[in-house]
Amino acid sequence: MKPPRFRYFAADSTAHAVELLGEYGDEAKLLAGGQSVVPLLNFRLVAPAVLIDINRITELDHVRVDGITTRVGALVRQRTIERDQELRRRGPMLTETVGLIGHVAIRNRGTVGGALAHADPAGEWPALGLLLGACFRIVGPRGRRTVPVDEFFRGFLTTAIEPDELLEEVELRLPSPGAGHAFVEVARRHGDFALVGVGAVVELDSRCRIAHIAIALIGVASTAVRAGDAERVLRGELPSTELVKSAAEAAAAGLDPVDDIHASGTYRRRIAGVLTRRALYTALARAGWERRDVA
Amino acid sequence: MSRDDEAQEIALDVNGTKRCAVAEPRTTLADFLRDHLGLTGTHLGCEHGVCGACTVLLDSHSVRSCLLFAVQTEGATVTTIEGLSEVNAELHPIQQAFSAQHGLQCGFCTPGFIVSVAELLAEDPDPSESTIQSWLSGNLCRCTGYQNIVKAVRTAAELTHPKAGPGRG
Amino acid sequence: MATEVHVGRRMARKEDRPLVTGTGRFVADIRPVGTVDVAFGRSPVAHARIEAIGTEAATAMDGVVGVYTAPDIQGQVQPFTLFVDQEHTPPSLDQSIHPVIRPCDMDVLALTRVRYVGQPVVAIVAESRYLAEDAAELVDIDYEELPVLTDPEAAIAPGAPLLHEQVPGNVQASFDVDLGAVDAVFAEAEHTASFRFLVPRVAGSPIETRGVLAVHDPVQEELTVWSSTQTPYMVRTRIAEMLGLAEQQVRVIAPDVGGGFGPKVQVYPEEILVAHLSMRLGRPVCWIEDRNEHLVATGQSRDQVHTVEVAYRGDGTITGLRDRFLLDCGAFNPFSITCAYNTAAHLRGLYRVPAYRIRGECVLTNKTPNVPYRGAGRPEATFVMDRVVDVVARRLGLDPAEVIGRNLLTVAEMPCDRGMPYRDGAPIVYDCGDVPASFDRLLRQVGYAEHRSATREVQDGHVRRGIGFATYVEGTGKGPHEGARALLDSRGDIIVLAGCTPHGQSHETAFSQVAADALGVSPEQITFRAGDTALVPYGVGTFASRSAVTAGTAVAVAGGRLRQRILAVAGELLEAAPDDLEFQDSTVHVQGDVTSSVTLHQIAAAAAPGPAARLPAGMDHGMDESYYFVPPTVTFASGLMAAVVDVDTETGVIDVRKIVLVHDSGRLINPMVVEGQIHGGVAQGVGTALYERLVYDDTGQPLTTTFMDYLLPTSMEVPKVEQIHVETRSDRNPLGVKGVGEAGTISPPPAIVNAVVDALAPLSVEFSELPLTPEVVLDAVLAARSGRTGGQR
């Protein structure tokens, strides 16, 4: 399990990386945290002729909280997010969810941009992108462009980023201070990719109605998915256990997950509903809803 | 002038010493430490980032050295298991604690665990049992069942930062 | 022997310092100048004829030293034939169980046919492993695919293709055990039930994979081989046999070994070939297995299907059991009936079961060969038996604890002759203690009475708690022998050498304790070494919970002999009677007079031949004592386990809260070490119960070839283990010890499964397959709630 030979270039700026991508595009792979691509190299499942290392591009390593928007550079490590005191104060949605990714040593190295660009259907970041209305700033030989999250995830491990482009930054809209959130998962073991995970963000208005709702599921399709039907059940309504149950059923209803050696599609669909319900209960409770059917 | 896929000189700080060796870009940090610098305490158990046996500190943070290329660590600071205590000198408190609590059997995974624990205790000098369990879940051990490793981490914490004695409020 | 001062004591380990400082020495850490690396080209298909192998491009690559295929080594490297002691069954076993064992040789490199994915076909030697892997990609092999057998039941069906032409029906080995009037018992039974149990294929998965380094000295005509093995002596024998050398020309060293657990008992093609290549090339040759290889090329284990019928009374007394089981032994079966017969011999466990019939068949399929793994047939047996007892209880509406108690052998029945021979031919006679008393202790420790009266719901109505039980009994300390030497070196230091091979078992510490007591010195004074065939001429290895009994006894006896010799020479030097002498540090002095003393250094010098020798009349020269212990038969360790689990009935997720174990492994040499062995054993048992399974698809492709797919439990999955030690001394060895290495591994699967069943009661669910995944649990819950029978029957 030794990687095949490749040509190695360490880009020292975004412009340099773009220049290298322009030169080697199709035969190059970007190396960020490397926590997904290096295993593939070691297994010799991929053999790019060129690796462009972006780890030295300091301009990609920033977290900027500005009002409701937060800009996260592509090279920010998961662990940086997890330990970011300002983000934690601002609402622990990001810090908590990122803590579900792998293990400490993986999070020390793995990057936000890498996780989003890899677009693993069971990864947490694509779901965070959906929940927080992400906008992706992408740069390439043809210049810069911004892609909204609805257009970003194209399919299994596929995004709107072209082979000669680089994800520079993701812009996220963090939930407002009164919002509640949750991210719940079932994994075979602690730290494994989730069999199914559900994230939810809820805001209640002054009359305790659901003013904002976002639900995203992972592990149930070729990409992370928004649970639009479930959101429609909830939006504008007064929360109740019945309502949450209907929403959870709606979230699971349209899913057709595939089987793998860890779980069947049937199982994933079944627990998608359960986890949606649990995520909603937690998020609603954090948003200030007092559930009355339990002591 | 070397080609960009051929062996090149890589210089970094390892365990407080400037080290320099020539390696291909594809050489993983783990193989570089072991084969080029002779630091064989960093072990390879899976080479795909799951088992944690190859864990080292890169600029004070634990990383899988099988998932990094040595060339990426040019100019960086790396601490391996060999860097925790001097040869024939007193053991590091974490090393002492692993031995005292029988936190190792075959010892193959042990360097990775100890390095991971070094980072944990640097961040959280008094970790709870659940924090320890969660932190260690990135390192696989097939011998111990982890119970004594968890105890060893508590012991190491106490050795490193002795609690206030009885009578203090 | 001197008094027991050190045996029984918790003593910190002597072996730890190098291991915690990264200065241990594992095979991959040893790299003589000029070493070249091997990568293997392995079969990518499960069954095929090799039509052509193109090695030109690989051979021509820069940095490649050589590329070798089967024709290149033909005549120079003999194939694997069954081990003599595997083929041979003692006469009493032959008469009793009528084993049929068919030879099925295995080439070191596949010549004309491959029979499993991962089988070595080509060896590429290069200046580095990176280059060897580059070259391996250039080897071009043309395979003509053949029909694939992945299911042992299909493999024995009439008309199935044959994996080895000389093995009819693909049944490589079989045997029958028939005890008591089985048919009559079933004919008269109050109740009967039938089951089908599946124990999956799993991987021992030491964190250090295998590895071999060989260096040949053409001047001395000596071959030195470092291997990550549990059995250096078997490696030596096989290398000598297969390469045409005398065993005395081969030295095999197991340096620090990063776990074994059974798979490293087997001698593998890579060990033979690397040795051969080092002779052929005149260079040190190294092969370090990677994890990808490990999960296809290292022996895999368990993999049994049982068809069981049980006869029982209305009070839960089991009166008879019939079982026919298949062991999927993969493409070759180097261990013959070892695991299968262990299953048969241990299946009734600590339960009485007066009428018993079992037939075991080892069936060839297109999978990696099956080898023993910690427990070696016993976890499978225990899963069957303890599930049967639990199901009988629940079907009768009785408390499982009550039914267990009713069927357990009592202290009045000990020693208990089970009416059948052990694998070594001796009758199985349990030398266990008071098992029902241990069960009572277990029930109290786990708080079973409180649990029975409490609600099982622990959270929000969807998490339920259960307690389940399981047992184990294990023949430990199997022979044929193990040896030790105790000697004084030229400085008068005490050196103890043994034939066993540690890979985590703390031999250096435990056997220093044994030797210290035998000699009357402190363990710190003992230098212990093992794992090197140059140290002790004959040896076996460490597996089957055997080293404490066999090597421990050898160390004790050799140590005692050295003490007598030291005292005799000291008596001569001090002109005193040996009985009046005692040890103090590195000296021997007359009791009550420390001024009249000699050092061990002086004693060693006096024993050496030459003009300065001073020996008692009639004593030979030298300060080097040996002893080989040949145990009469095994000694039986036993125990009872409770698992406490929480089950999420909405997701099927199982949280094992706690494992409680009352176990009896005889006299404990070092309780700290014993507890560590049990902790680790339990962790592996939890893995088998809930997480681990090697999966093959219908074409024989393994789907679990990474640690992302083959799931070892982490610190978050393994529960706390509470242990109660019971020490019933064995009378089959002078130390009174029994083996403990496998103890923790055997019972967790049935204990955990029974606990899940308990948590889900009153839903009537039954489980008969491992691992018990969340999906299986949830399916059972949903089926039971919808009125169907839940679970697997």
Side-chain angles (χ1 to χ4, degrees):
Chain A
M1 280 185 56
K2 305 299 181 190
R5 196 174 276 221
F6 50 78
R7 300 177 68 189
Y8 173 85
F9 298 97
D12 46 30
S13 66
T14 307
H16 187 199
V18 169
E19 186 189 320
L20 289 165
L21 282 166
E23 194 170 347
Y24 300 108
D26 284 347
E27 51 176 0
K29 244 190 178 324
L30 288 173
L31 178 61
Q35 304 300 287
S36 297
V37 76
V38 182
L40 295 173
L41 282 161
N42 289 357
F43 285 123
R44 297 192 180 222
L45 292 172
V46 296
V50 173
L51 269 192
I52 302 172
D53 184 355
I54 60 169
N55 281 281
R56 291 178 190 272
I57 308 180
T58 48
E59 62 196 285
L60 297 180
D61 185 8
H62 60 266
V63 179
R64 291 190 193 109
V65 183
D66 178 15
I68 58 163
T69 63
T70 296
R71 295 167 182 279
V72 181
L75 201 62
V76 174
R77 313 281 168 187
Q78 311 293 7
R79 193 84 182 127
T80 306
I81 300 284
E82 191 183 354
R83 301 187 66 199
D84 190 302
Q85 291 305 321
E86 191 178 351
L87 282 177
R88 190 171 292 272
R89 266 196 307 279
R90 183 68 184 72
M93 171 104 206
L94 279 179
T95 53
E96 268 183 32
T97 306
V98 164
L100 296 171
I101 300 171
H103 306 281
V104 175
I106 301 290
R107 298 197 292 275
N108 275 336
R109 198 66 200 157
T111 63
V112 172
L116 286 164
H118 187 57
D120 193 294
E124 286 80 3
W125 265 108
L128 287 171
L130 291 171
L131 290 169
L132 303 177
C135 256
F136 298 85
R137 199 156 67 133
I138 298 167
V139 61
R142 294 167 300 284
R144 287 200 160 76
R145 62 196 181 106
T146 301
V147 177
V149 68
D150 312 348
E151 297 164 23
F152 185 74
F153 298 110
R154 296 286 172 84
F156 182 69
L157 303 183
T158 312
T159 69
I161 307 169
E162 297 294 332
D164 61 354
E165 288 183 317
L166 167 76
L167 176 64
E168 271 190 293
E169 185 184 83
V170 59
E171 185 184 302
L172 303 164
R173 270 169 294 167
L174 289 189
S176 61
H181 73 91
F183 209 109
V184 294
E185 295 184 346
V186 167
R188 288 288 276 118
R189 294 174 304 182
H190 180 83
D192 283 345
F193 274 111
L195 297 177
V196 176
V198 181
V201 183
V202 186
E203 279 176 49
L204 301 179
D205 65 18
S206 55
R207 295 173 306 148
C208 220
R209 287 180 195 280
I210 296 172
H212 171 75
I213 176 72
I215 303 170
L217 288 83
I218 59 175
V220 295
S222 61
T223 65
V225 291
R226 273 291 278 268
D229 290 346
E231 292 172 5
R232 274 186 287 281
V233 168
L234 297 164
R235 197 165 288 126
E237 300 292 327
L238 211 53
S240 71
T241 53
E242 281 316 306
L243 187 75
V244 168
K245 280 179 187 163
S246 316
E249 280 167 25
L255 300 176
D256 187 20
V258 295
D259 300 348
D260 68 19
I261 61 166
H262 298 304
S264 72
T266 305
Y267 176 75
R268 288 169 202 264
R269 190 172 60 245
R270 280 175 179 157
I271 62 167
V274 174
L275 296 184
T276 302
R277 170 158 48 79
R278 291 183 185 176
L280 286 171
Y281 280 144
T282 302
L284 281 164
R286 285 172 161 182
W289 177 53
E290 283 177 39
R291 199 175 152 187
R292 302 198 191 283
D293 63 326
V294 287
Chain B
M1 186 67 192
S2 61
R3 272 177 46 192
D4 39 38
D5 63 343
E6 286 193 342
Q8 51 188 273
E9 201 170 87
I10 300 164
L12 64 162
D13 180 308
V14 182
N15 300 330
T17 307
K18 293 278 173 225
R19 301 294 301 266
C20 184
V22 172
E24 282 185 299
R26 64 166 164 169
T27 308
T28 63
L29 176 61
D31 284 333
F32 184 77
L33 292 168
R34 293 177 50 80
D35 300 341
H36 297 257
L37 302 185
L39 295 168
T40 55
T42 298
H43 295 157
L44 287 169
C46 77
E47 295 178 277
H48 55 282
V50 180
C51 79
C54 68
T55 305
V56 300
L57 300 181
L58 175 70
D59 298 327
S60 306
H61 295 296
S62 64
V63 295
R64 315 291 208 206
S65 62
C66 72
L67 298 188
L68 266 169
F69 299 108
V71 66
Q72 297 183 268
T73 63
E74 169 75 39
T77 299
V78 170
T79 306
T80 70
I81 184 68
E82 290 94 340
L84 262 67
S85 57
E86 304 276 324
V87 178
N88 295 327
E90 197 182 342
L91 293 176
H92 187 281
I94 301 170
Q95 294 168 326
Q96 287 177 39
F98 267 68
S99 182
Q101 295 293 357
H102 192 29
L104 68 152
Q105 291 180 25
C106 81
F108 189 80
C109 68
T110 309
F113 270 93
I114 289 177
V115 168
S116 296
V117 172
E119 186 192 26
L120 167 61
L121 295 182
E123 265 187 31
D124 182 354
D126 187 22
S128 68
E129 197 170 302
S130 65
T131 300
I132 296 167
Q133 272 183 305
S134 166
W135 191 280
L136 295 178
S137 65
N139 290 74
L140 294 176
C141 171
R142 194 61 158 163
C143 291
T144 64
Y146 306 103
Q147 192 165 326
N148 287 346
I149 298 181
V150 174
K151 277 194 210 164
V153 180
R154 279 303 317 160
T155 301
E158 285 154 23
L159 287 172
T160 314
H161 301 278
K163 291 252 173 67
R168 291 217 11 213
Chain C
M1 189 186 296
T3 51
E4 281 189 5
V5 178
H6 301 291
V7 167
R9 189 159 72 84
R10 284 173 192 274
M11 182 184 144
R13 298 208 314 172
K14 296 173 71 176
E15 42 273 86
D16 286 346
R17 184 173 179 110
L19 298 173
V20 299
T21 53
T23 53
R25 205 166 68 142
F26 296 86
V27 173
D29 304 337
I30 306 167
R31 197 157 178 96
V33 173
T35 299
V36 287
D37 291 282
V38 180
F40 283 91
R42 298 177 180 279
S43 176
V45 291
H47 197 191
R49 219 183 322 279
I50 299 173
E51 296 289 326
I53 306 181
T55 59
E56 297 75 13
T59 309
M61 207 190 91
D62 271 358
V64 170
V65 175
V67 180
Y68 303 91
T69 62
D72 300 323
I73 62 168
Q74 228 174 355
Q76 300 176 63
V77 181
Q78 301 306 311
F80 282 93
T81 52
L82 287 175
F83 282 108
V84 173
D85 68 326
Q86 299 296 338
E87 225 165 20
H88 170 77
T89 48
S92 58
L93 201 64
D94 274 334
Q95 287 154 22
S96 171
I97 67 164
H98 314 294
V100 176
I101 299 172
R102 299 181 200 287
C104 85
D105 296 358
M106 181 168 75
D107 289 323
V108 167
L109 291 173
L111 179 62
T112 56
R113 193 163 157 188
V114 289
R115 291 183 173 87
Y116 64 94
V117 172
Q119 188 172 356
V121 181
V122 188
I124 298 101
V125 186
E127 298 293 341
S128 78
R129 174 71 183 229
Y130 286 75
L131 293 170
E133 290 190 23
D134 292 347
E137 292 189 317
L138 304 178
V139 175
D140 185 22
I141 307 176
D142 196 4
Y143 293 104
E144 173 72 24
E145 293 203 33
L146 296 168
V148 172
L149 294 168
T150 57
D151 172 14
E153 288 173 315
I156 60 169
L162 294 183
L163 223 56
H164 297 268
E165 274 61 34
Q166 74 281 14
V167 181
N170 294 312
V171 179
Q172 190 273 332
S174 65
F175 59 83
D176 291 277
V177 176
D178 204 345
L179 300 177
V182 179
D183 291 330
V185 163
F186 273 86
E188 294 158 13
E190 282 177 46
H191 302 271
T192 62
S194 56
F195 309 88
R196 184 183 148 84
F197 291 105
L198 267 80
V199 177
R201 184 168 271 251
V202 298
S205 296
I207 304 300
E208 184 204 27
T209 55
R210 291 185 294 128
V212 197
L213 166 70
V215 178
H216 184 239
D217 179 342
V219 179
Q220 296 289 330
E221 294 188 0
E222 271 177 10
L223 182 63
T224 305
V225 178
W226 288 262
S227 182
S228 182
T229 180
Q230 297 173 243
T231 56
Y233 292 89
M234 292 191 206
V235 174
R236 179 182 70 174
T237 300
R238 299 297 269 175
I239 287 175
E241 268 174 21
M242 293 167 69
L243 301 185
L245 302 168
E247 290 195 6
Q248 286 72 10
Q249 290 177 287
V250 183
R251 176 184 180 187
V252 177
I253 301 168
D256 284 327
V257 172
F261 314 120
K264 291 181 185 172
V265 173
Q266 161 78 322
V267 183
Y268 287 90
E270 294 90 348
E271 288 168 307
I272 310 299
L273 198 74
V274 166
H276 166 72
L277 292 172
S278 75
M279 296 173 71
R280 187 169 181 146
L281 294 168
R283 292 181 72 171
V285 177
C286 174
W287 168 73
I288 304 298
E289 184 181 53
D290 65 36
R291 186 57 61 182
N292 218 184
E293 286 183 288
H294 182 83
L295 287 164
V296 295
T298 289
Q300 306 174 346
S301 307
R302 316 257 195 261
D303 210 353
Q304 295 186 1
V305 189
H306 288 253
T307 307
V308 182
E309 293 170 282
V310 59
Y312 56 101
R313 294 200 198 108
D315 67 354
T317 304
I318 293 174
T319 53
L321 189 137
R322 291 193 286 227
D323 185 2
R324 181 204 177 189
F325 72 98
L326 308 180
L327 182 154
D328 181 342
C329 62
F332 300 90
N333 191 20
F335 284 87
S336 180
I337 63 168
T338 297
C339 289
Y341 192 67
N342 274 346
T343 300
H346 292 84
L347 193 126
R348 290 173 298 164
L350 294 172
Y351 301 112
R352 202 168 291 106
V353 193
Y356 175 50
R357 178 184 295 157
I358 186 164
R359 174 176 172 77
E361 294 171 43
C362 301
V363 181
L364 295 160
T365 64
N366 291 108
K367 297 179 194 162
T368 300
N370 194 313
V371 301
Y373 161 46
R374 204 171 192 174
R378 299 171 187 93
E380 300 91 311
T382 304
F383 182 63
V384 169
M385 193 66 218
D386 278 300
R387 281 296 299 134
V388 164
V389 172
D390 192 75
V391 174
V392 163
R394 294 194 183 275
R395 288 196 184 176
L396 290 169
L398 300 174
D399 181 345
E402 181 190 332
V403 172
I404 290 169
R406 192 156 290 144
N407 286 287
L408 283 178
L409 292 164
T410 63
V411 69
E413 291 166 281
M414 296 293 165
C416 181
D417 187 333
R418 300 300 266 159
M420 64 186 284
Y422 201 71
R423 178 75 177 83
D424 58 14
I428 295 178
V429 181
Y430 290 172
D431 52 342
C432 307
D434 189 340
V435 174
S438 290
F439 188 48
D440 286 340
R441 288 182 74 177
L442 179 70
L443 293 174
R444 285 197 303 276
Q445 180 72 21
V446 76
Y448 190 62
E450 297 84 336
H451 171 71
R452 292 295 292 179
S453 57
T455 168
R456 282 177 169 70
E457 288 184 9
V458 290
Q459 191 192 319
D460 280 3
H462 66 263
V463 176
R464 296 173 64 86
R465 181 159 297 168
I467 294 181
F469 301 102
T471 58
Y472 88 89
V473 65
E474 183 194 7
T476 68
K478 89 192 258 292
H481 61 83
E482 203 64 83
R485 284 167 64 196
L487 56 99
L488 290 186
D489 71 8
S490 60
R491 294 176 303 186
D493 289 347
I494 303 166
I495 313 292
V496 174
L497 311 169
C500 58
T501 308
H503 38 279
Q505 294 84 352
S506 317
H507 287 179
E508 185 177 349
T509 305
F511 294 149
S512 290
Q513 292 176 260
V514 170
D517 279 350
L519 278 147
V521 299
S522 78
E524 290 75 18
Q525 276 177 269
I526 311 276
T527 299
F528 177 85
R529 287 179 63 204
D532 179 347
T533 61
L535 302 177
V536 179
Y538 309 96
V540 183
T542 294
F543 53 92
S545 304
R546 66 186 300 277
S547 283
V549 175
T550 56
T553 299
V555 165
V557 174
R561 288 180 176 178
L562 182 65
R563 174 184 169 88
Q564 295 312 317
R565 184 167 273 272
I566 289 169
L567 293 179
V569 175
E572 184 70 19
L573 294 173
L574 295 171
E575 297 176 352
D579 287 350
D580 294 336
L581 301 178
E582 64 185 28
F583 282 77
Q584 186 171 10
D585 299 329
S586 296
T587 65
V588 175
H589 63 85
V590 177
Q591 279 170 26
D593 178 10
V594 291
T595 59
S596 181
S597 71
V598 284
T599 64
L600 293 178
H601 184 187
Q602 291 169 314
I603 293 168
R614 271 187 73 187
L615 291 168
M619 182 179 267
D620 291 338
H621 291 96
M623 251 319 149
D624 188 345
E625 293 284 356
S626 296
Y627 181 71
Y628 293 90
F629 180 56
V630 180
T633 181
V634 292
T635 181
F636 286 89
S638 62
L640 299 122
M641 180 179 284
V644 183
V645 305
D646 283 355
V647 182
D648 183 330
T649 56
E650 292 183 333
T651 61
V653 170
I654 297 164
D655 177 12
V656 183
R657 310 281 305 177
K658 186 163 71 171
I659 294 281
V660 183
L661 176 66
V662 180
H663 81 104
D664 184 348
S665 55
R667 182 82 176 107
L668 306 184
I669 296 172
N670 182 331
M672 179 190 85
V673 169
V674 169
E675 286 161 12
Q677 288 293 308
I678 300 243
H679 285 157
V682 167
Q684 293 185 10
V686 169
T688 301
L690 300 178
Y691 302 102
E692 298 179 39
R693 183 161 67 108
L694 290 159
V695 182
Y696 286 80
D697 73 10
D698 292 343
T699 68
Q701 281 298 328
L703 304 179
T704 38
T705 59
T706 76
F707 271 170
M708 303 285 282
D709 302 309
Y710 189 79
L711 308 179
L712 301 187
T714 78
S715 52
M716 293 294 281
E717 281 75 48
V718 179
K720 278 232 168 86
V721 183
E722 294 175 10
Q723 304 180 32
I724 297 175
H725 305 301
V726 177
E727 296 190 51
T728 306
R729 288 188 183 226
S730 174
D731 58 9
R732 296 175 193 177
N733 63 75
L735 288 173
V737 298
K738 299 177 177 183
V740 73
E742 296 164 286
T745 314
I746 301 172
S747 308
I752 290 168
V753 172
N754 290 343
V756 173
V757 170
D758 184 58
L760 297 177
L763 291 179
S764 171
V765 301
E766 295 183 0
F767 300 104
S768 58
E769 294 180 21
L770 298 171
L772 190 57
T773 62
E775 174 156 14
V776 171
V777 173
L778 185 61
D779 280 351
V781 169
L782 294 176
R785 283 192 178 144
S786 68
R788 287 173 288 133
T789 307
Q792 309 152 328
R793 295 200 187 211

